[in-house]
Amino acid sequence: MGQTSDTQEPRLQVPRFLRLSATGDSVSQVHSWLLQLGLGEEAAAPVEVAQQRFGFWTRNAVFAFQTMAAEQEQAPGRTSPPTGVYDLETGISMFDKVRGAGASQPEAYFVVGRVTYAGGSPCSGGTVSLFRRSLRAEKDVQKTVTSAESYFLLRYAMPESERAAAKTGPLALGLQVRLGSAVVFKTPVDQLLLNPEPLALVDVKLTTAAEKAVTFTQIMDVMSHALTDSLEAKLDVGTKEVRDGRVSVGRVMAQLKEDEDSQDMSFLSHLGNLDQSASEQLVNVVASQRLAEFTAAKGAKVPADIVFAVIGGSVLGTIAMRSENGSDRLG
């Protein structure tokens, strides 16, 4: 599906025949209608919608629509029972139903896609938020968690007052991705979905630095617990001051040592049950905290997580919005 449209009213581009294993833009058109009609927002939907594939979820949703249409006499000329196979009669009936429900604006907009790491592996368990942007404000409208295969489906219901209006202001939607407490992606202003089609397919690819931001947050969470609960007051700053919030965990971490006399990092890695990769990154986290303390003393105040990201690579991620011919366009 395209990113933007010239008009919000559904266009009469009705696919003629689709069945299991069909792929492409025609399938996406059917997906858009099914979602707008409230059919099939199940867990299986994002995978087939994102892949533009006519699979079992699509077949079942088409079957449900055919059954509903027959009961409501929306397809009086239909001679065959519901089959789950999409045909022209089904398409015309879907189009009429969507056009009748949509007024001057669609009832809802859907953003569907996948979040992956830099190497292409799935980013499961991430929180994806859909936000609406105005001139000076952002408002989260829905959030979800990526599936085991890292797919997501988000829905924005257009307010009734705006749908009823003959003309409305521009609609700008964007995505934000969090892994734990770390924000690893946010749609840049110049890549917002502006006046999108009812269905927008968006893929987010995180960079190496985004993965490092997650690692940094995870290590800091583990270290915060370990430092405040288990480390003896052998450092210049005592754990009670950390627990009371008078001194940051980062400041304490900046004083950790790893030598013959002190094996602070080895001890904390074991205490925090960090795997080998995280244990190796703990050294970089401590170095980042020291550099952050140094820059703060010089008045620069560069956050430790930014230092950590610079050590490992570039920041955040890229977004791919599929165009109408099915190709990917990187923002």
Side-chain angles (χ1 to χ4, degrees):
M1 300 300 293
Q3 178 190 356
T4 61
S5 61
D6 297 327
T7 176
Q8 297 295 334
E9 185 171 329
R11 294 172 293 179
L12 187 55
Q13 295 180 353
V14 182
R16 300 187 66 85
F17 184 82
L18 297 167
R19 62 189 308 168
L20 280 175
S21 78
T23 59
D25 290 341
S26 294
V27 177
S28 283
Q29 180 63 80
V30 175
H31 286 156
S32 177
W33 289 338
L34 290 170
L35 290 171
Q36 290 176 73
L37 293 170
L39 294 170
E41 290 184 51
E42 294 92 355
V47 179
E48 293 185 23
V49 176
Q51 295 176 355
Q52 298 182 290
R53 177 169 55 87
F54 196 117
F56 289 103
W57 167 80
T58 308
R59 185 189 65 176
N60 294 340
V62 169
F63 183 91
F65 174 81
Q66 291 171 338
T67 301
M68 178 185 70
E71 293 173 351
Q72 297 178 357
E73 297 183 349
Q74 293 292 322
R78 191 172 186 87
T79 57
S80 59
T83 61
V85 174
Y86 170 93
D87 55 22
L88 184 59
E89 290 176 290
T90 301
I92 293 174
S93 182
M94 281 186 181
F95 178 84
D96 289 341
K97 189 73 172 175
V98 169
R99 183 174 56 183
S104 62
Q105 298 275 355
E107 285 190 354
Y109 293 86
F110 294 86
V111 180
V112 182
R114 194 182 190 205
V115 182
T116 57
Y117 288 112
S121 59
C123 177
S124 60
T127 301
V128 185
S129 301
L130 180 67
F131 64 86
R132 182 174 182 178
R133 173 69 187 262
S134 59
L135 180 60
R136 294 184 177 178
E138 291 178 3
K139 179 182 179 182
D140 285 347
V141 294
Q142 196 189 24
K143 63 177 61 178
T144 189
V145 176
T146 55
S147 67
E149 295 178 309
S150 72
Y151 290 95
F152 65 88
L153 184 153
L154 291 158
R155 179 181 188 273
Y156 171 57
M158 176 66 71
E160 183 63 32
S161 58
E162 294 187 33
R163 291 185 59 240
K167 295 182 179 180
T168 61
L171 174 65
L173 300 175
L175 295 174
Q176 178 175 277
V177 181
R178 282 182 176 270
L179 295 178
S181 59
V183 176
V184 294
F185 176 81
K186 188 172 184 179
T187 304
V189 173
D190 61 351
Q191 295 177 32
L192 292 169
L193 297 168
L194 185 61
N195 297 326
E197 300 263 356
L199 172 61
L201 303 182
V202 178
D203 294 328
V204 176
K205 186 175 183 179
L206 304 179
T207 65
T208 302
E211 296 182 59
K212 283 186 169 293
V214 179
T215 302
F216 181 89
T217 302
Q218 291 173 336
I219 290 175
M220 287 300 296
D221 288 345
V222 171
M223 292 302 98
S224 176
H225 177 77
L227 284 167
T228 55
D229 287 350
S230 302
L231 190 62
E232 297 294 334
K234 70 181 210 175
L235 301 174
D236 294 340
V237 177
T239 56
K240 186 177 186 302
E241 293 176 279
V242 177
R243 186 180 293 110
D244 293 343
R246 289 178 294 180
V247 177
S248 70
V249 173
R251 182 178 167 188
V252 177
M253 288 191 68
Q255 300 180 41
L256 296 177
K257 298 178 181 179
E258 187 70 21
D259 53 31
E260 291 184 1
D261 296 326
S262 301
Q263 284 131 16
D264 299 335
M265 286 180 274
S266 296
F267 172 69
L268 289 172
S269 292
H270 177 68
L271 196 66
N273 196 29
L274 297 179
D275 59 26
Q276 182 176 355
S277 175
S279 295
E280 292 170 356
Q281 290 297 338
L282 176 58
V283 177
N284 288 337
V285 171
V286 172
S288 300
Q289 296 291 358
R290 288 175 180 169
L291 285 171
E293 288 286 312
F294 176 79
T295 59
K298 299 296 183 180
K301 295 184 179 180
V302 180
D305 57 340
I306 298 299
V307 177
F308 185 80
V310 171
I311 290 173
S314 58
V315 294
L316 295 186
T318 60
I319 187 168
M321 291 170 287
R322 272 163 274 176
S323 59
E324 291 189 0
N325 63 11
S327 62
D328 285 352
R329 180 167 58 83
L330 287 180

